[in-house]
Amino acid sequence: MKIKGKLTKKMDIQYGNTNGKEWHKQLILVDTGAEYNPEICIQAFREKVDLIVKLEVGKQYEFSININSREYKGKYYTNIDLWKVENVTVEETNETPF
């Protein structure tokens, strides 16, 4: 799935260790311009964090994402994972966010 929007915030990189495997991730906030619930938090893991480092807050991008949910102890958790980022040209910004 692809989402176009303005990068509004880049959070600090988080580091962790799960079952002896080290990992790192970074969250970003994207404003899609939608009328309702325009902000989406997208996460990048491992090598995908490198894609975020180069991005500038306030600029428009097209984010390719995967959305997945998983169950843990009767509750469901949903993640929006980044796998690709592309620059958006001025002509493309007039389109709908989805």
Coordinates of all heavy atoms in Angstrom, one line a residue:
M1 N 0.8 -1.2 0.0 CA 0.0 0.0 0.0 C 0.9 1.2 0.0 O 2.0 1.2 0.6 CB -0.9 0.0 1.2 CG -1.7 1.2 1.5 SD -2.6 1.2 3.0 CE -4.2 0.8 2.3
K2 N 0.4 2.3 -0.6 CA 1.2 3.6 -0.7 C 0.4 4.7 -0.1 O -0.8 4.8 -0.2 CB 1.6 3.9 -2.1 CG 2.5 2.9 -2.7 CD 2.9 3.4 -4.1 CE 3.9 2.3 -4.7 NZ 4.4 2.8 -6.0
I3 N 1.1 5.5 0.7 CA 0.5 6.7 1.3 C 1.3 7.9 1.0 O 2.5 7.9 1.1 CB 0.4 6.5 2.8 CG1 -0.5 5.4 3.2 CG2 -0.1 7.8 3.5 CD1 -0.6 5.1 4.7
K4 N 0.7 9.0 0.5 CA 1.4 10.2 0.3 C 1.1 11.2 1.4 O -0.1 11.3 1.9 CB 0.9 10.9 -1.0 CG 1.4 10.1 -2.3 CD 0.9 10.8 -3.5 CE 1.3 10.0 -4.7 NZ 0.8 10.6 -6.0
G5 N 2.1 11.9 1.9 CA 1.9 12.9 2.9 C 3.1 13.6 3.3 O 4.2 13.3 2.8
K6 N 2.9 14.6 4.2 CA 4.0 15.4 4.7 C 4.6 14.8 5.9 O 3.9 14.5 6.9 CB 3.5 16.8 4.9 CG 4.6 17.8 5.4 CD 4.2 19.2 5.5 CE 3.0 19.4 6.4 NZ 2.7 20.8 6.7
L7 N 5.9 14.6 5.9 CA 6.6 14.2 7.1 C 6.6 15.3 8.2 O 7.1 16.4 7.9 CB 8.1 13.8 6.8 CG 8.9 13.3 8.0 CD1 8.4 12.0 8.5 CD2 10.3 13.1 7.5
T8 N 5.9 15.0 9.3 CA 5.8 16.1 10.3 C 6.7 15.9 11.5 O 7.0 16.8 12.2 CB 4.4 16.2 10.8 OG1 3.9 14.9 11.3 CG2 3.4 16.6 9.7
K9 N 7.2 14.6 11.8 CA 8.0 14.4 12.9 C 8.8 13.1 12.8 O 8.3 12.1 12.3 CB 7.2 14.3 14.2 CG 8.0 14.3 15.5 CD 7.0 14.4 16.7 CE 7.9 14.4 17.9 NZ 7.0 14.5 19.1
K10 N 10.1 13.1 13.2 CA 10.9 11.9 13.3 C 11.3 11.7 14.7 O 11.9 12.6 15.4 CB 12.2 12.1 12.4 CG 11.9 12.2 11.0 CD 13.2 12.1 10.1 CE 14.4 12.9 10.4 NZ 15.4 12.8 9.4
M11 N 10.9 10.6 15.3 CA 11.2 10.3 16.7 C 12.6 9.7 16.8 O 13.2 9.3 15.8 CB 10.2 9.2 17.2 CG 8.9 9.8 17.6 SD 8.0 10.5 16.3 CE 6.4 9.9 16.5
D12 N 13.2 9.6 18.0 CA 14.5 9.1 18.2 C 14.5 7.6 17.9 O 13.5 6.9 18.0 CB 14.9 9.3 19.6 CG 15.1 10.8 20.0 OD1 15.4 11.6 19.1 OD2 15.0 11.1 21.2
I13 N 15.7 7.1 17.5 CA 15.9 5.7 17.2 C 15.8 4.9 18.5 O 16.4 5.4 19.5 CB 17.2 5.4 16.4 CG1 17.2 6.1 15.1 CG2 17.4 3.9 16.3 CD1 18.5 6.0 14.3
Q14 N 15.1 3.8 18.5 CA 14.9 3.0 19.7 C 15.8 1.7 19.5 O 15.7 1.2 18.4 CB 13.5 2.6 19.9 CG 12.6 3.8 20.1 CD 11.1 3.4 20.2 OE1 10.8 2.2 20.3 NE2 10.2 4.3 20.0
Y15 N 16.5 1.3 20.5 CA 17.3 0.1 20.4 C 16.8 -0.9 21.4 O 16.3 -0.6 22.5 CB 18.8 0.4 20.7 CG 19.4 1.4 19.7 CD1 19.3 2.8 20.0 CD2 20.0 0.9 18.6 CE1 19.9 3.7 19.0 CE2 20.6 1.8 17.7 CZ 20.5 3.2 17.9 OH 21.0 4.1 17.0
G16 N 16.9 -2.2 21.1 CA 16.5 -3.2 22.0 C 17.1 -4.6 21.7 O 17.9 -4.7 20.7
N17 N 16.8 -5.5 22.5 CA 17.3 -6.9 22.4 C 16.2 -7.9 22.7 O 15.6 -7.8 23.8 CB 18.5 -7.1 23.3 CG 19.2 -8.3 23.1 OD1 18.6 -9.4 22.9 ND2 20.6 -8.3 23.2
T18 N 15.8 -8.7 21.8 CA 14.8 -9.7 22.0 C 15.4 -11.1 21.8 O 15.8 -11.4 20.7 CB 13.6 -9.5 21.1 OG1 13.1 -8.1 21.3 CG2 12.5 -10.4 21.4
N19 N 15.3 -11.9 22.8 CA 15.9 -13.3 22.7 C 17.3 -13.3 22.1 O 17.6 -14.2 21.3 CB 14.9 -14.1 21.8 CG 13.5 -14.3 22.4 OD1 13.4 -14.3 23.6 ND2 12.6 -14.3 21.5
G20 N 18.1 -12.4 22.6 CA 19.5 -12.3 22.2 C 19.7 -11.7 20.8 O 20.9 -11.6 20.4
K21 N 18.7 -11.2 20.2 CA 18.9 -10.6 18.9 C 18.7 -9.1 19.0 O 17.6 -8.6 19.5 CB 17.9 -11.1 17.8 CG 18.1 -12.5 17.5 CD 17.1 -13.0 16.4 CE 17.3 -14.4 16.1 NZ 16.4 -14.9 15.1
E22 N 19.7 -8.3 18.7 CA 19.6 -6.8 18.8 C 18.8 -6.3 17.6 O 18.8 -6.8 16.5 CB 21.0 -6.2 18.8 CG 21.7 -6.5 20.1 CD 23.1 -5.8 20.2 OE1 23.3 -4.9 19.3 OE2 23.9 -6.2 21.0
W23 N 18.0 -5.2 17.9 CA 17.2 -4.6 16.8 C 17.2 -3.1 17.1 O 17.6 -2.6 18.2 CB 15.8 -5.1 16.8 CG 15.1 -5.1 18.1 CD1 15.0 -6.1 19.0 CD2 14.4 -4.0 18.7 NE1 14.3 -5.7 20.1 CE2 13.9 -4.4 20.0 CE3 14.1 -2.7 18.3 CZ2 13.1 -3.6 20.8 CZ3 13.4 -1.9 19.1 CH2 12.9 -2.3 20.3
H24 N 16.8 -2.3 16.1 CA 16.6 -0.9 16.2 C 15.5 -0.5 15.3 O 15.2 -1.1 14.3 CB 17.9 -0.1 16.0 CG 18.4 -0.2 14.6 ND1 19.1 -1.3 14.2 CD2 18.4 0.7 13.6 CE1 19.5 -1.1 12.9 NE2 19.1 0.1 12.5
K25 N 14.7 0.5 15.7 CA 13.6 1.0 14.9 C 13.4 2.5 15.1 O 13.9 3.1 16.1 CB 12.3 0.3 15.3 CG 11.7 0.7 16.6 CD 10.3 0.0 16.8 CE 9.6 0.4 18.1 NZ 8.3 -0.2 18.2
Q26 N 12.7 3.1 14.2 CA 12.4 4.5 14.3 C 11.0 4.8 13.8 O 10.6 4.2 12.9 CB 13.4 5.4 13.5 CG 13.3 6.9 13.7 CD 14.3 7.7 13.0 OE1 15.1 7.2 12.1 NE2 14.4 8.9 13.3
L27 N 10.3 5.7 14.5 CA 9.0 6.0 14.2 C 8.9 7.4 13.5 O 9.7 8.3 13.9 CB 8.1 6.0 15.4 CG 8.0 4.7 16.3 CD1 7.2 5.0 17.5 CD2 7.4 3.6 15.5
I28 N 8.0 7.5 12.6 CA 7.8 8.8 11.9 C 6.3 9.1 11.9 O 5.5 8.2 12.0 CB 8.4 8.9 10.5 CG1 7.7 7.8 9.6 CG2 9.9 8.8 10.5 CD1 8.1 8.0 8.1
L29 N 6.0 10.4 11.9 CA 4.6 10.8 11.9 C 4.4 11.5 10.5 O 5.1 12.4 10.1 CB 4.3 11.8 13.0 CG 2.8 12.1 13.3 CD1 2.1 10.8 13.7 CD2 2.7 13.1 14.4
V30 N 3.3 11.1 9.8 CA 3.0 11.6 8.5 C 1.6 12.2 8.5 O 0.7 11.5 9.0 CB 3.1 10.4 7.4 CG1 2.7 10.9 6.1 CG2 4.5 9.8 7.4
D31 N 1.5 13.4 7.9 CA 0.2 14.0 7.8 C -0.3 13.8 6.4 O 0.3 14.3 5.4 CB 0.3 15.5 8.1 CG -1.0 16.2 8.0 OD1 -2.0 15.6 7.6 OD2 -1.1 17.4 8.5
T32 N -1.4 13.0 6.2 CA -1.9 12.7 4.9 C -2.8 13.8 4.3 O -3.1 13.7 3.1 CB -2.7 11.4 4.9 OG1 -3.8 11.6 5.8 CG2 -1.9 10.2 5.5
G33 N -3.2 14.7 5.1 CA -4.1 15.7 4.7 C -5.5 15.3 4.6 O -6.4 16.1 4.2
A34 N -5.9 14.1 5.1 CA -7.2 13.6 5.1 C -8.1 14.5 6.1 O -7.5 15.0 7.1 CB -7.3 12.1 5.6
E35 N -9.4 14.5 5.9 CA -10.3 15.3 6.7 C -10.3 14.7 8.2 O -10.3 15.5 9.1 CB -11.7 15.3 6.1 CG -12.6 16.2 6.9 CD -14.0 16.4 6.3 OE1 -14.2 15.8 5.1 OE2 -14.8 17.0 6.9
Y36 N -10.4 13.4 8.3 CA -10.5 12.8 9.6 C -9.2 11.9 9.8 O -8.8 11.2 8.9 CB -11.7 11.9 9.7 CG -13.0 12.7 9.5 CD1 -13.7 12.6 8.3 CD2 -13.5 13.5 10.5 CE1 -14.9 13.4 8.2 CE2 -14.6 14.2 10.4 CZ -15.3 14.2 9.2 OH -16.5 14.9 9.0
N37 N -8.7 12.0 11.0 CA -7.5 11.2 11.4 C -6.4 11.3 10.3 O -5.9 10.3 9.8 CB -7.9 9.8 11.6 CG -8.9 9.6 12.7 OD1 -8.9 10.3 13.7 ND2 -9.9 8.8 12.4
P38 N -5.9 12.5 10.1 CA -4.9 12.7 9.0 C -3.5 12.2 9.4 O -2.7 11.9 8.5 CB -4.9 14.2 8.8 CG -5.2 14.8 10.1 CD -6.2 13.8 10.7
E39 N -3.2 12.0 10.7 CA -1.8 11.6 11.0 C -1.7 10.1 11.2 O -2.5 9.5 11.8 CB -1.4 12.3 12.3 CG -1.3 13.8 12.1 CD -0.8 14.5 13.4 OE1 -1.2 14.2 14.5 OE2 0.1 15.4 13.2
I40 N -0.6 9.6 10.6 CA -0.3 8.2 10.7 C 1.1 8.0 11.2 O 2.0 8.7 10.7 CB -0.4 7.5 9.3 CG1 -1.9 7.6 8.8 CG2 0.0 6.1 9.3 CD1 -2.1 7.2 7.4
C41 N 1.3 7.1 12.2 CA 2.6 6.8 12.7 C 3.1 5.5 12.0 O 2.5 4.5 12.0 CB 2.5 6.6 14.2 SG 4.1 6.3 14.9
I42 N 4.3 5.7 11.3 CA 4.9 4.6 10.6 C 6.2 4.2 11.2 O 6.9 5.1 11.6 CB 5.1 5.0 9.1 CG1 3.8 5.4 8.4 CG2 5.8 3.9 8.3 CD1 3.9 6.0 7.1
Q43 N 6.5 2.9 11.3 CA 7.7 2.5 11.9 C 8.6 1.8 10.8 O 8.2 1.2 9.9 CB 7.5 1.5 13.0 CG 6.9 0.1 12.6 CD 6.7 -0.8 13.8 OE1 6.9 -0.4 14.9 NE2 6.3 -2.0 13.5
A44 N 9.9 2.0 11.1 CA 11.0 1.4 10.2 C 11.9 0.6 11.1 O 12.3 1.0 12.2 CB 11.8 2.5 9.5
F45 N 12.2 -0.7 10.7 CA 13.0 -1.6 11.4 C 14.3 -1.8 10.7 O 14.4 -1.8 9.4 CB 12.3 -2.9 11.6 CG 11.6 -3.0 12.9 CD1 10.2 -2.8 13.0 CD2 12.2 -3.4 14.1 CE1 9.5 -2.9 14.1 CE2 11.5 -3.4 15.3 CZ 10.2 -3.2 15.3
R46 N 15.4 -2.0 11.5 CA 16.7 -2.4 11.0 C 17.2 -1.5 9.8 O 17.3 -0.3 10.0 CB 16.7 -3.9 10.6 CG 16.4 -4.8 11.8 CD 16.3 -6.3 11.3 NE 15.7 -7.1 12.3 CZ 14.4 -7.3 12.4 NH1 13.6 -6.8 11.4 NH2 13.8 -8.1 13.3
E47 N 17.5 -2.1 8.7 CA 18.1 -1.3 7.5 C 17.1 -0.3 7.0 O 17.5 0.7 6.3 CB 18.5 -2.3 6.4 CG 17.4 -3.0 5.7 CD 16.9 -4.2 6.3 OE1 17.4 -4.7 7.4 OE2 15.9 -4.8 5.8
K48 N 15.8 -0.4 7.2 CA 14.8 0.6 6.7 C 15.0 1.9 7.5 O 14.5 2.9 7.0 CB 13.4 0.0 6.8 CG 13.2 -1.2 6.0 CD 13.5 -1.1 4.6 CE 13.2 -2.3 3.8 NZ 13.7 -2.3 2.5
V49 N 15.6 1.9 8.7 CA 15.8 3.1 9.4 C 16.7 4.1 8.6 O 16.5 5.3 8.6 CB 16.5 2.8 10.8 CG1 16.9 4.1 11.5 CG2 15.5 2.1 11.7
D50 N 17.6 3.5 7.8 CA 18.5 4.3 6.9 C 17.6 5.2 5.9 O 18.1 6.2 5.5 CB 19.4 3.4 6.2 CG 20.4 2.8 7.1 OD1 20.6 3.2 8.2 OD2 21.0 1.7 6.7
L51 N 16.5 4.7 5.5 CA 15.6 5.5 4.6 C 15.1 6.7 5.3 O 14.9 7.8 4.7 CB 14.4 4.6 4.2 CG 14.7 3.3 3.4 CD1 13.4 2.6 3.2 CD2 15.3 3.7 2.1
I52 N 14.9 6.7 6.6 CA 14.3 7.8 7.3 C 15.4 8.9 7.6 O 15.1 10.1 7.6 CB 13.7 7.3 8.6 CG1 12.5 6.4 8.3 CG2 13.3 8.5 9.5 CD1 11.9 5.8 9.5
V53 N 16.6 8.5 7.8 CA 17.6 9.4 8.2 C 17.8 10.5 7.1 O 18.0 11.7 7.5 CB 19.0 8.7 8.3 CG1 20.1 9.6 8.5 CG2 18.9 7.7 9.5
K54 N 17.6 10.2 5.9 CA 17.7 11.1 4.8 C 16.5 12.0 4.6 O 16.6 13.0 3.8 CB 18.0 10.3 3.5 CG 19.2 9.4 3.5 CD 19.3 8.5 2.3 CE 20.4 7.5 2.5 NZ 20.4 6.5 1.4
L55 N 15.4 11.8 5.2 CA 14.2 12.5 4.9 C 14.2 13.8 5.7 O 14.7 13.9 6.8 CB 13.0 11.7 5.3 CG 12.8 10.4 4.7 CD1 11.5 9.7 5.1 CD2 12.8 10.5 3.2
E56 N 13.5 14.9 5.1 CA 13.4 16.2 5.7 C 12.0 16.4 6.3 O 11.0 16.2 5.5 CB 13.8 17.3 4.7 CG 15.2 17.2 4.3 CD 15.5 18.3 3.3 OE1 15.0 19.4 3.4 OE2 16.3 18.0 2.3
V57 N 11.9 16.8 7.5 CA 10.6 17.2 8.1 C 10.0 18.4 7.3 O 10.7 19.3 7.0 CB 10.8 17.5 9.6 CG1 9.5 18.1 10.1 CG2 11.2 16.3 10.4
G58 N 8.7 18.3 7.0 CA 8.0 19.3 6.3 C 7.9 19.1 4.8 O 7.2 19.7 4.1
K59 N 8.6 18.0 4.3 CA 8.5 17.7 2.8 C 7.5 16.6 2.6 O 7.2 15.8 3.4 CB 9.9 17.3 2.3 CG 10.8 18.5 2.2 CD 12.0 18.2 1.2 CE 12.7 19.4 0.9 NZ 13.7 19.2 -0.1
Q60 N 7.0 16.6 1.3 CA 6.1 15.6 0.9 C 6.8 14.3 0.4 O 7.8 14.4 -0.4 CB 5.2 16.1 -0.2 CG 4.3 17.2 0.2 CD 3.0 16.7 0.9 OE1 2.6 15.6 0.7 NE2 2.5 17.6 1.7
Y61 N 6.3 13.1 0.7 CA 6.9 11.9 0.3 C 5.7 10.9 0.0 O 4.6 11.0 0.5 CB 7.8 11.3 1.3 CG 9.0 12.1 1.7 CD1 9.0 13.0 2.7 CD2 10.1 12.1 0.9 CE1 10.1 13.8 3.0 CE2 11.2 12.9 1.1 CZ 11.2 13.7 2.2 OH 12.3 14.5 2.5
E62 N 6.1 9.8 -0.7 CA 5.2 8.7 -0.9 C 5.8 7.5 -0.2 O 6.9 7.1 -0.5 CB 5.0 8.4 -2.4 CG 4.1 7.2 -2.6 CD 3.8 7.0 -4.1 OE1 4.7 6.4 -4.7 OE2 2.7 7.3 -4.6
F63 N 5.1 7.0 0.8 CA 5.6 5.9 1.7 C 4.9 4.6 1.3 O 3.7 4.5 1.2 CB 5.2 6.2 3.1 CG 5.8 7.5 3.6 CD1 5.1 8.7 3.5 CD2 7.1 7.6 4.2 CE1 5.6 9.9 4.0 CE2 7.6 8.8 4.6 CZ 6.9 9.9 4.5
S64 N 5.7 3.6 1.0 CA 5.2 2.3 0.7 C 5.3 1.5 2.0 O 6.3 1.4 2.7 CB 6.1 1.6 -0.4 OG 6.0 2.2 -1.6
I65 N 4.1 1.0 2.4 CA 4.0 0.4 3.7 C 3.3 -1.0 3.7 O 2.6 -1.3 2.7 CB 3.2 1.3 4.7 CG1 1.8 1.6 4.1 CG2 3.9 2.6 4.9 CD1 0.8 2.3 5.0
N66 N 3.5 -1.7 4.7 CA 2.7 -3.0 5.0 C 2.0 -2.8 6.3 O 2.6 -2.3 7.3 CB 3.7 -4.2 5.1 CG 4.2 -4.6 3.8 OD1 3.6 -4.4 2.7 ND2 5.5 -5.1 3.8
I67 N 0.7 -3.2 6.3 CA 0.0 -3.1 7.5 C -0.3 -4.5 8.0 O -0.8 -5.3 7.2 CB -1.4 -2.3 7.3 CG1 -1.1 -0.9 6.8 CG2 -2.2 -2.3 8.6 CD1 -2.4 -0.2 6.4
N68 N 0.0 -4.8 9.3 CA -0.2 -6.1 9.8 C -0.7 -6.0 11.3 O -0.4 -5.1 12.0 CB 1.0 -7.0 9.7 CG 2.2 -6.4 10.5 OD1 2.2 -6.5 11.7 ND2 3.2 -5.9 9.8
S69 N -1.5 -7.0 11.6 CA -2.0 -7.1 13.0 C -1.6 -8.5 13.6 O -1.5 -9.5 12.8 CB -3.5 -7.0 13.1 OG -3.9 -5.7 12.6
R70 N -1.3 -8.6 14.9 CA -1.0 -9.8 15.5 C -1.7 -9.9 16.9 O -2.0 -8.8 17.5 CB 0.5 -10.0 15.6 CG 1.2 -9.0 16.5 CD 2.7 -9.3 16.6 NE 3.3 -8.2 17.2 CZ 3.4 -8.1 18.6 NH1 2.8 -9.0 19.3 NH2 4.0 -7.1 19.1
E71 N -2.0 -11.1 17.3 CA -2.7 -11.3 18.6 C -1.7 -11.6 19.6 O -0.7 -12.4 19.4 CB -3.7 -12.4 18.4 CG -4.6 -12.7 19.6 CD -4.0 -13.7 20.6 OE1 -3.2 -14.6 20.1 OE2 -4.3 -13.7 21.8
Y72 N -1.8 -11.1 20.8 CA -1.0 -11.4 21.9 C -1.8 -11.4 23.2 O -2.3 -10.3 23.6 CB 0.2 -10.4 22.1 CG 1.1 -10.7 23.2 CD1 2.0 -11.8 23.2 CD2 1.1 -9.8 24.3 CE1 2.8 -12.0 24.3 CE2 1.9 -10.1 25.4 CZ 2.8 -11.2 25.4 OH 3.6 -11.4 26.5
K73 N -2.0 -12.5 23.8 CA -2.8 -12.7 25.0 C -4.2 -12.1 24.9 O -4.7 -11.3 25.8 CB -2.1 -12.1 26.2 CG -0.8 -12.8 26.5 CD -0.1 -12.2 27.8 CE 1.1 -13.0 28.1 NZ 1.8 -12.5 29.3
G74 N -4.9 -12.3 23.8 CA -6.2 -11.9 23.6 C -6.4 -10.5 23.1 O -7.5 -10.1 22.8
K75 N -5.3 -9.8 22.9 CA -5.4 -8.4 22.4 C -4.7 -8.4 21.0 O -3.8 -9.1 20.8 CB -4.7 -7.4 23.3 CG -5.4 -7.2 24.6 CD -4.8 -6.2 25.4 CE -5.5 -6.0 26.8 NZ -4.9 -4.9 27.6
Y76 N -5.2 -7.5 20.1 CA -4.6 -7.3 18.8 C -3.8 -6.0 18.7 O -4.3 -5.0 19.2 CB -5.7 -7.4 17.7 CG -6.2 -8.8 17.6 CD1 -7.1 -9.4 18.4 CD2 -5.6 -9.6 16.6 CE1 -7.6 -10.7 18.2 CE2 -6.0 -11.0 16.4 CZ -7.0 -11.5 17.3 OH -7.4 -12.8 17.1
Y77 N -2.7 -6.1 18.1 CA -1.8 -5.0 17.9 C -1.5 -4.8 16.4 O -1.2 -5.8 15.7 CB -0.5 -5.2 18.6 CG -0.7 -5.3 20.1 CD1 -0.9 -6.6 20.7 CD2 -0.7 -4.2 20.9 CE1 -1.1 -6.7 22.1 CE2 -0.9 -4.3 22.3 CZ -1.1 -5.6 22.9 OH -1.3 -5.7 24.2
T78 N -1.6 -3.6 15.9 CA -1.4 -3.3 14.5 C -0.2 -2.5 14.3 O 0.1 -1.5 15.0 CB -2.6 -2.6 13.9 OG1 -3.8 -3.4 14.2 CG2 -2.5 -2.3 12.5
N79 N 0.6 -2.8 13.3 CA 1.8 -2.1 13.0 C 1.7 -1.6 11.5 O 1.2 -2.3 10.7 CB 3.1 -3.0 13.1 CG 3.4 -3.4 14.5 OD1 3.2 -2.6 15.4 ND2 3.8 -4.6 14.7
I80 N 2.3 -0.5 11.3 CA 2.4 0.0 9.9 C 3.9 0.1 9.6 O 4.6 1.0 10.2 CB 1.8 1.4 9.8 CG1 0.3 1.3 10.2 CG2 1.9 2.0 8.3 CD1 -0.4 2.7 10.2
D81 N 4.4 -0.8 8.8 CA 5.9 -0.9 8.6 C 6.3 -0.3 7.2 O 5.7 -0.6 6.2 CB 6.3 -2.4 8.6 CG 6.0 -3.1 9.9 OD1 6.3 -2.4 10.9 OD2 5.5 -4.2 9.9
L82 N 7.3 0.5 7.3 CA 7.8 1.1 6.1 C 8.8 0.2 5.3 O 9.5 -0.5 5.9 CB 8.6 2.4 6.5 CG 9.3 3.2 5.4 CD1 8.3 3.9 4.6 CD2 10.3 4.1 6.0
W83 N 8.7 0.2 4.0 CA 9.6 -0.6 3.2 C 10.2 0.2 2.0 O 11.2 -0.2 1.4 CB 9.1 -1.9 2.8 CG 7.9 -1.9 1.9 CD1 6.6 -1.9 2.3 CD2 7.8 -1.9 0.5 NE1 5.7 -1.8 1.2 CE2 6.5 -1.9 0.1 CE3 8.8 -1.9 -0.5 CZ2 6.1 -1.9 -1.3 CZ3 8.4 -1.9 -1.8 CH2 7.1 -1.9 -2.2
K84 N 9.6 1.4 1.7 CA 10.2 2.2 0.6 C 9.7 3.6 0.8 O 8.6 3.9 1.2 CB 9.7 1.6 -0.7 CG 10.3 2.3 -1.9 CD 9.8 1.6 -3.2 CE 10.3 2.3 -4.4 NZ 9.7 1.6 -5.6
V85 N 10.5 4.6 0.3 CA 10.1 6.0 0.3 C 10.5 6.6 -1.0 O 11.6 6.4 -1.5 CB 10.8 6.8 1.5 CG1 10.4 8.3 1.4 CG2 10.5 6.2 2.8
E86 N 9.6 7.4 -1.5 CA 9.9 8.1 -2.8 C 9.6 9.6 -2.6 O 8.6 10.0 -1.9 CB 9.1 7.6 -3.9 CG 9.5 6.1 -4.2 CD 8.6 5.6 -5.4 OE1 7.5 5.2 -5.1 OE2 9.1 5.5 -6.5
N87 N 10.3 10.5 -3.3 CA 10.0 11.9 -3.3 C 8.7 12.1 -4.1 O 8.4 11.4 -5.0 CB 11.1 12.7 -3.9 CG 12.3 12.8 -3.0 OD1 12.2 12.9 -1.8 ND2 13.5 12.7 -3.6
V88 N 7.9 13.2 -3.7 CA 6.7 13.5 -4.4 C 7.0 14.8 -5.1 O 7.4 15.8 -4.5 CB 5.5 13.6 -3.4 CG1 4.3 14.2 -4.1 CG2 5.2 12.3 -2.8
T89 N 6.6 14.9 -6.4 CA 6.8 16.2 -7.1 C 5.6 17.1 -6.8 O 4.6 16.7 -6.3 CB 6.9 15.9 -8.6 OG1 5.6 15.3 -9.1 CG2 8.0 15.0 -9.0
V90 N 5.8 18.4 -7.2 CA 4.7 19.4 -6.9 C 3.4 19.0 -7.5 O 2.4 19.1 -6.9 CB 5.2 20.8 -7.3 CG1 4.1 21.8 -7.1 CG2 6.5 21.2 -6.6
E91 N 3.4 18.5 -8.7 CA 2.2 18.1 -9.4 C 1.4 17.0 -8.7 O 0.2 16.9 -8.8 CB 2.5 17.7 -10.9 CG 3.2 18.7 -11.7 CD 4.7 18.7 -11.6 OE1 5.3 17.6 -11.5 OE2 5.3 19.8 -11.5
E92 N 2.1 16.1 -8.1 CA 1.5 14.9 -7.5 C 0.9 15.3 -6.1 O 0.0 14.5 -5.7 CB 2.6 13.9 -7.2 CG 3.2 13.3 -8.5 CD 4.2 12.2 -8.2 OE1 4.1 11.5 -7.2 OE2 5.2 12.2 -8.9
T93 N 1.2 16.4 -5.5 CA 0.7 16.7 -4.2 C -0.8 17.1 -4.2 O -1.4 17.1 -3.1 CB 1.5 17.8 -3.5 OG1 1.4 19.0 -4.4 CG2 2.9 17.4 -3.3
N94 N -1.4 17.3 -5.3 CA -2.8 17.7 -5.4 C -3.7 16.5 -5.4 O -4.9 16.6 -5.3 CB -3.1 18.5 -6.6 CG -2.4 19.9 -6.6 OD1 -2.2 20.4 -5.5 ND2 -2.0 20.4 -7.7
E95 N -3.2 15.3 -5.4 CA -4.0 14.0 -5.4 C -4.5 13.7 -4.0 O -4.0 14.2 -3.0 CB -3.1 12.9 -5.9 CG -2.7 13.1 -7.4 CD -1.9 11.9 -7.9 OE1 -1.9 10.8 -7.2 OE2 -1.2 12.1 -8.9
T96 N -5.4 12.8 -3.9 CA -5.9 12.3 -2.6 C -4.9 11.5 -1.9 O -4.0 10.9 -2.6 CB -7.2 11.5 -2.8 OG1 -6.9 10.4 -3.6 CG2 -8.3 12.3 -3.3
P97 N -4.9 11.4 -0.6 CA -3.8 10.8 0.1 C -3.8 9.3 0.0 O -2.8 8.6 0.3 CB -4.0 11.2 1.6 CG -5.4 11.6 1.7 CD -5.8 12.1 0.3
F98 N -4.8 8.6 -0.5 CA -4.8 7.2 -0.6 C -5.1 6.7 -2.0 O -5.8 7.3 -2.8 CB -5.9 6.5 0.3 CG -5.6 6.8 1.7 CD1 -6.3 7.8 2.4 CD2 -4.6 6.1 2.4 CE1 -6.0 8.0 3.8 CE2 -4.4 6.3 3.7 CZ -5.1 7.3 4.4

